[in-house]
Amino acid sequence: SKSCDNCGFCGAIVGSGSVVVTVQNFGVVDSYFGTNNGSVGGIVGRIDNYAKASFSKVYSYVSVYAHGSSAASGGLIGTVGQRAEVNLKNVYNCGSLVNKNSYVAGLIGFVMSYGVANIENAYNVGSVSSPFTRSWKSLVANNAGTLKMVNTYCVRINGRTELGGTPTSIEKFNNGMVALALHEGEGGSVWGQDVEKDEYPNFSGEVKNSVAKKYNVVFHTFEGDTASYFNFYTTGFTKDLPANVVQENAGFLGWYD
């Protein structure tokens, strides 16, 4: 459709915030959604003002097109409205997106003022295109609200700065490194990939023939240390060490190789 205000498999999710709309175990493939007005997404065009939604184990292979000054577009969601809230966990997009005039990205096009978007265990490998450099990114194009991304990945594009997540090479999507990182994320056991058969991570639940491995880590520091440390890492990605470690009568000078 090219005439609706909000387009997608579902045009819009509306509500007052007292009810959370859940989209789970769902995917759209071999489809096309486009508009000249409003928002468009592979799954939902818009999470309306004050509405709340939760996406879990959701994916899109949809081609998305928009040509309008207010037509934000996303591989999963076009726009998260004012004071709306959406939680995306275990989701991905492999569909292509083109937007001629407004914000466009692989997961969410635009998070409006006071809107909230939490993204965890997610990725985008779909191509994103716009004639305006400032208007597009791989994961979330524009954020005027609150945005948090955890264990979220995209293909690195030279010169492109994302609003969060981890840009990386397409090879790490192909060789199982991203799949293992997603699988080992909190609540990420649904992720899998057979590197000999699958081009990208999916929801098979088992990572096979990956070049990546998981390594357990134990930090031996000092008695009374209250800093938070990671207990494992997977091949191909770094993890952050705590920035401030506090010990009585001592000063923390930082980490060294």
Side-chain angles (χ1 to χ4, degrees):
S1 170
K2 290 189 178 182
S3 60
C4 59
D5 288 336
N6 298 299
C7 294
F9 183 86
C10 172
I13 290 176
V14 300
S16 63
S18 59
V19 176
V20 178
V21 176
T22 299
V23 182
Q24 187 173 358
N25 301 326
F26 181 75
V28 181
V29 301
D30 298 331
S31 300
Y32 166 87
F33 301 122
T35 184
N36 287 330
N37 185 46
S39 300
V40 57
I43 305 298
V44 177
R46 178 185 174 93
I47 309 297
D48 210 9
N49 298 350
Y50 298 96
K52 291 185 178 181
S54 173
F55 287 43
S56 176
K57 204 174 176 184
V58 172
Y59 63 92
S60 172
Y61 283 79
V62 174
S63 296
V64 174
Y65 174 88
H67 187 108
S69 60
S70 61
S73 52
L76 300 181
I77 300 168
T79 296
V80 177
Q82 294 181 346
R83 302 188 186 279
E85 180 178 339
V86 64
N87 294 300
L88 305 179
K89 187 166 186 176
N90 300 324
V91 299
Y92 67 92
N93 173 65
C94 295
S96 61
L97 300 101
V98 176
N99 193 313
K100 296 296 185 180
N101 282 293
S102 190
Y103 300 113
V104 55
L107 299 182
I108 301 174
F110 184 25
V111 181
M112 298 182 69
S113 57
Y114 304 105
V116 177
N118 298 308
I119 304 172
E120 184 174 7
N121 301 342
Y123 77 83
N124 171 60
V125 293
S127 63
V128 182
S129 175
S130 170
F132 303 103
T133 303
R134 66 176 180 82
S135 297
W136 69 273
K137 296 186 184 297
S138 187
L139 295 170
V140 178
N142 189 35
N143 172 44
T146 301
L147 174 65
K148 182 179 180 181
M149 296 190 216
V150 177
N151 203 31
T152 297
Y153 303 88
C154 65
V155 178
R156 180 185 297 111
I157 300 172
N158 291 337
R160 177 68 48 188
T161 301
E162 296 291 328
L163 300 181
T166 303
T168 190
S169 66
I170 189 66
E171 288 77 16
K172 290 184 180 181
F173 285 93
N174 301 146
N175 66 20
M177 286 187 177
V178 172
L180 185 60
L182 291 167
H183 184 87
E184 295 298 335
E186 185 175 349
S189 61
V190 299
W191 289 97
Q193 181 182 11
D194 186 341
V195 171
E196 294 183 354
K197 299 178 181 179
D198 306 322
E199 188 174 11
Y200 304 123
N202 52 48
F203 295 140
S204 65
E206 185 177 3
V207 180
K208 299 179 180 179
N209 303 306
S210 172
V211 301
K213 296 184 181 299
K214 176 184 176 181
Y215 296 91
N216 294 319
V217 179
V218 178
F219 286 87
H220 299 278
T221 58
F222 57 89
E223 185 177 352
D225 187 1
T226 59
S228 178
Y229 300 89
F230 57 85
N231 57 14
F232 75 91
Y233 74 92
T234 58
T235 310
F237 298 102
T238 61
K239 284 195 170 185
D240 294 331
L241 291 162
N244 294 303
V245 179
V246 179
Q247 185 179 24
E248 187 176 0
N249 300 321
F252 179 62
L253 299 180
W255 298 95
Y256 62 92
D257 293 332

